[in-house]
Amino acid sequence: MRHGKKFNHLGRKASHRKLMLSNMANSLILHKRITTTLAKAKELRKYVEPLISKAKDDTTHSRRVVFSYLQNKEGIKALFGEVIEKVGNRPGGYTRIIKTGFRLGDNAEMCIIELVDFNELMLKEAKPAKKATRRSRRGSGKAAESTAAPQASAAEDAGSGEEKVAE
């Protein structure tokens, strides 16, 4: 019986699985985003996030421990350099999984796994919340002036465009 055994073997022997996760972790660190199946991405997250946490402490021991997992000098340089520079103050949750649909050949669920602080589109959307203002019936004079001003300037722009065409 397999009570309480949650480990996903991904249909591979232990040595193959270890090398596959090592290669995927290197690709994720070097390219900041990879496309893979959902099952592999979930296992990769469990594999790479502790390595990133270890890399926050830049000592010879931590470099050797992380190298024993990754086995790639370029991956180590990128991890201890630019990756830790961006995620050094984050307490965890270094990766994001975005589901992209199903693969045509075997209908496997596909996704993109990426390092969180390297996606510029997601960072732009995270704007600070607006300051909540108190609404009252009496103070509507400013709101009426501010809405009238853009309409007037738009009308002036349209008029100036017609003059340029006529010349």
Side-chain angles (χ1 to χ4, degrees), residues 20-110:
M20 182 190 67
L21 288 173
S22 175
N23 288 333
M24 290 175 67
N26 275 314
S27 296
L28 180 65
I29 289 167
L30 293 174
H31 301 293
K32 313 307 184 257
R33 176 184 302 153
I34 58 173
T35 302
T36 184
T37 62
L38 186 63
K40 287 179 188 174
K42 287 180 177 179
E43 287 300 310
L44 179 61
R45 176 192 286 177
K46 288 192 265 185
Y47 186 87
V48 81
E49 290 208 5
L51 297 180
I52 296 173
S53 294
K54 279 183 182 38
K56 285 184 178 183
D57 181 29
D58 191 5
T59 62
T60 304
H61 177 67
S62 63
R63 281 181 179 264
R64 286 178 177 167
V65 169
V66 173
F67 182 78
S68 72
Y69 284 90
L70 295 181
Q71 296 291 322
N72 186 345
K73 287 184 183 178
E74 288 77 26
I76 297 294
K77 287 177 189 173
L79 177 62
F80 281 87
E82 60 181 336
V83 173
I84 290 304
E85 184 179 303
K86 284 215 176 186
V87 299
N89 57 356
R90 182 179 284 273
Y94 310 111
T95 58
R96 174 186 298 126
I97 294 177
I98 303 168
K99 295 180 182 179
T100 58
F102 296 91
R103 188 162 53 196
L104 286 177
D106 59 355
N107 209 30
E109 193 166 5
M110 298 299 288

Side-chain angles (χ1 to χ4, degrees), residues 107-145:
N107 209 30
E109 193 166 5
M110 298 299 288
C111 67
I112 295 172
I113 183 168
E114 63 185 4
L115 295 175
V116 171
D117 290 330
F118 287 91
N119 189 342
E120 301 300 325
L121 297 175
M122 292 283 197
L123 292 176
K124 288 180 183 174
E125 291 176 9
K127 295 177 184 171
K130 279 187 171 180
K131 180 183 172 188
T133 57
R134 188 170 160 251
R135 298 164 131 199
S136 67
R137 294 183 189 167
R138 294 180 11 195
S140 62
K142 290 182 182 177
E145 292 172 5

